Amino acid sequence: MELAEKLAILASSAKYDASCASSGSGDSCGYQSGNRSGGNGGALFGRRLPAGVCHSWTPDGRCVSLLKVLFSNSCRFDCAYCVNRSSFDSRRVSFTVDELVSLTCEFYRRNYIEGLFLSSGIFSDSDIVMEKLTATARALRCEAGFGGYIHLKIIPGSTDKAIREAGLWADRLSANIELPTDKSLQNLAPGKSGKMIFGAMGDAYNLEAENREDRRKFALGEKTSVPVFAPAGQSTQLIVGASPETDKTILTLSGALYRKYALRRVYYSAFIPVGISGADGLHDPRLPEIAIRPLLQREHRLYQADWLLRFYGFSPGEVLETDSEMLDSGLDPKTAWALRHLDKFPVEVNRADYDDLLRVPGVGAQSARRIIETRRSRSLTFENLRRLGIVLKRARFFLTANGAFLDKPEDPKRIRRTLSDPDHLQPLLFEF
Ligand code: SF4
């Protein structure tokens, strides 16, 4: 089989994994078609990305392109939601280590990508599959001199020895939980268990801690050399809507994962039925019938709530403190919290501390820092706030400047009407 054909299949098989933040580009294959600006000499503007190229974000907010592929789409597991499951009749292919190394290097040289995201179906014993991913990363680093970003998936069931080796060559590792409870795993992903997945996360966490301690000793001259273990930490993915768990269950789990395993990121992926219903007649009775749009809205709200947990000092209990088990679909979770706590507002922008400013809808972490910095030299007005980037459409109900309101928060129903966005999916990276 041509390498380009393998790439098209194994990139398509990988695109449902959201744990590197993007689900990949279209299905055109630049590897096959070469440089599209050549040929007739006509002026082409822009280009489609090659198969398997997706976008991800670094911790400092930089957008990077990654080659996102599976090593193999053969899998002995039968996860109901997955296009690679053993019971699904699809064409099975695998790369060799050499093929993946040369593909990655070629894409990198052509400036298509800055790194590799590599996962795999579990075609053999977990450690054997893990070693294939690790061998690819090792060959890229040691033989090809590749210095770009590498994200490796931890194969469920891998031993800590295999995870240790993977972390020596990868920037980031991720073990996907996929479903929030053992009951749902048993139902939809037989063969996986919470113990298996949390065990892998725990191993990666302990190895990171051990490596930190070794590097501390190295800095003190007590060790001669220490390789760095997965410097970009670990992440995971949760599928939303394939199983009956509520937002409360999901956010409580995410909060625990951030605390217990110091995860850098939990990715939420709205369940998209692929190859399981419709014209192919392959609907799996274990899966629910779903409407996609409300699920995308739910995914969006979970990302907003997650942002509050990671950067705004909210606990899962505060984000969902009412009897409802689900986030408000019509309001972002920070505004919903503020409306439940109008007694804590208004906040006086010229006196409030950083933590109180962070709780104001429309004021993000960067804006809160700017407010504190700027008010050292002058007293702030609403016009100053607008220039500092505060979203006054949201903040106007919750702030005073020198005691003056822009809009008094007298009627929660009116505020709710003004700030609701039931049909509009906002971009993920914004301050709310
Ligand atoms: S283990 Fe499950 S989710 Fe992973 S590739 Fe196999 S069937 Fe898909």
Side-chain angles (χ1 to χ4, degrees):
M1 182 187 286
E2 289 286 315
L3 188 52
E5 200 181 344
K6 270 192 196 180
L7 173 62
I9 294 171
L10 291 167
S12 177
S13 305
K15 69 184 176 191
Y16 301 103
D17 193 323
S19 59
C20 73
S22 156
S23 53
S25 68
D27 57 1
S28 76
C29 185
Y31 178 74
Q32 192 170 31
S33 54
N35 184 351
R36 286 164 178 266
S37 63
N40 63 10
L44 294 180
F45 183 73
R47 64 178 164 82
R48 292 180 73 190
L49 290 169
V53 177
C54 75
H55 293 115
S56 185
W57 284 269
T58 59
D60 62 3
R62 211 166 47 87
C63 180
V64 293
S65 304
L66 302 176
L67 172 61
K68 180 176 178 180
V69 285
L70 296 188
F71 189 91
S72 171
N73 66 350
S74 293
C75 192
R76 53 196 179 84
F77 282 41
D78 194 36
C79 306
Y81 46 81
C82 178
V83 73
N84 305 311
R85 68 194 183 279
S86 58
S87 63
F88 186 53
D89 183 17
S90 67
R91 198 166 173 201
R92 308 289 172 166
V93 291
S94 303
F95 282 122
T96 64
V97 170
D98 287 347
E99 283 171 341
L100 259 177
V101 169
S102 80
L103 257 182
T104 308
C105 292
E106 189 174 341
F107 273 35
Y108 191 78
R109 278 189 212 104
R110 289 187 186 196
N111 238 359
Y112 291 157
I113 58 161
E114 291 164 80
L116 171 70
F117 172 94
L118 184 59
S119 181
S120 183
I122 308 174
F123 55 85
S124 180
D125 176 77
S126 299
D127 270 6
I128 292 174
V129 182
M130 191 74 245
E131 173 50 24
K132 288 287 182 196
L133 307 194
T134 302
T136 306
R138 193 191 301 119
L140 275 167
R141 298 284 194 228
C142 299
E143 292 162 29
F146 181 74
Y149 179 84
I150 299 179
H151 179 157
L152 293 185
K153 185 66 55 190
I154 298 177
I155 301 301
S158 301
T159 58
D160 66 338
K161 188 164 170 255
I163 296 170
R164 179 190 294 270
E165 185 64 16
L168 295 182
W169 308 108
D171 293 279
R172 170 163 287 184
L173 297 173
S174 59
N176 281 358
I177 303 175
E178 311 284 25
L179 300 165
T181 60
D182 255 330
K183 190 170 172 212
S184 288
L185 281 170
Q186 275 162 23
N187 189 24
L188 298 181
K192 289 183 183 172
S193 66
K195 191 173 167 208
M196 178 189 265
I197 298 157
F198 296 134
M201 282 182 184
D203 285 343
Y205 174 76
N206 291 336
L207 289 163
E208 257 183 280
E210 192 184 297
N211 186 254
R212 249 195 325 275
E213 177 59 16
D214 284 350
R215 280 186 284 131
R216 192 187 66 78
K217 288 185 179 159
F218 174 72
L220 294 172
E222 294 170 17
K223 274 185 171 269
T224 47
S225 78
V226 177
V228 180
F229 180 88
Q234 55 170 328
S235 58
T236 193
Q237 168 182 257
L238 270 164
I239 298 173
V240 178
S243 55
E245 287 84 6
T246 62
D247 291 347
K248 196 170 219 166
T249 304
I250 290 173
L251 287 171
T252 304
L253 174 61
S254 299
L257 293 175
Y258 286 128
R259 273 197 318 278
K260 194 164 176 198
Y261 302 117
L263 287 201
R264 299 289 174 94
R265 202 64 209 270
V266 177
Y267 291 95
Y268 306 92
S269 178
F271 167 59
I272 297 172
V274 274
I276 50 179
S277 62
D280 56 17
L282 287 171
H283 176 71
D284 188 317
R286 293 174 291 175
L287 290 165
E289 300 282 355
I290 48 138
I292 301 283
R293 184 163 179 87
L295 216 48
L296 290 175
Q297 180 73 341
R298 187 178 168 200
E299 174 194 285
H300 174 62
R301 293 288 178 229
L302 283 167
Y303 270 116
Q304 290 180 318
D306 185 273
W307 199 268
L308 296 184
L309 302 187
R310 287 188 299 139
F311 301 117
Y312 289 70
F314 282 78
S315 67
E318 284 179 304
V319 175
L320 258 169
E321 62 201 337
T322 58
D323 289 343
S324 170
E325 293 276 317
M326 302 299 279
L327 292 165
D328 189 326
S329 63
L331 272 185
D332 73 79
K334 191 175 178 188
T335 304
W337 179 86
L339 284 180
R340 293 196 299 272
H341 293 280
L342 281 179
D343 56 308
K344 296 190 189 302
F345 297 98
V347 163
E348 169 52 49
V349 76
N350 285 297
R351 282 194 301 277
D353 64 22
Y354 178 76
D355 290 340
D356 286 342
L357 286 170
L358 267 191
R359 298 250 159 177
V360 176
V363 177
Q366 200 181 20
S367 320
R369 281 193 295 274
R370 281 190 195 140
I371 287 172
I372 287 175
E373 184 62 36
T374 312
R375 76 186 184 193
R376 286 198 183 116
S377 55
R378 65 182 135 139
S379 176
L380 294 173
T381 64
F382 282 106
E383 189 47 39
N384 298 139
L385 294 181
R386 199 185 309 275
R387 289 208 200 103
L388 289 177
I390 283 70
V391 185
L392 285 181
K393 184 195 165 197
R394 292 182 181 282
R396 62 193 298 131
F397 303 106
F398 306 101
L399 282 178
T400 53
N402 295 315
F405 277 101
L406 204 57
D407 210 332
K408 277 197 176 179
E410 283 165 350
D411 180 1
K413 283 189 185 149
R414 184 172 72 85
I415 301 175
R416 185 185 168 85
R417 262 196 319 277
T418 310
L419 299 184
S420 287
D421 55 353
D423 296 320
H424 185 56
L425 295 179
Q426 304 276 355
L428 283 181
L429 294 174
F430 73 110
E431 297 188 327
F432 58 90

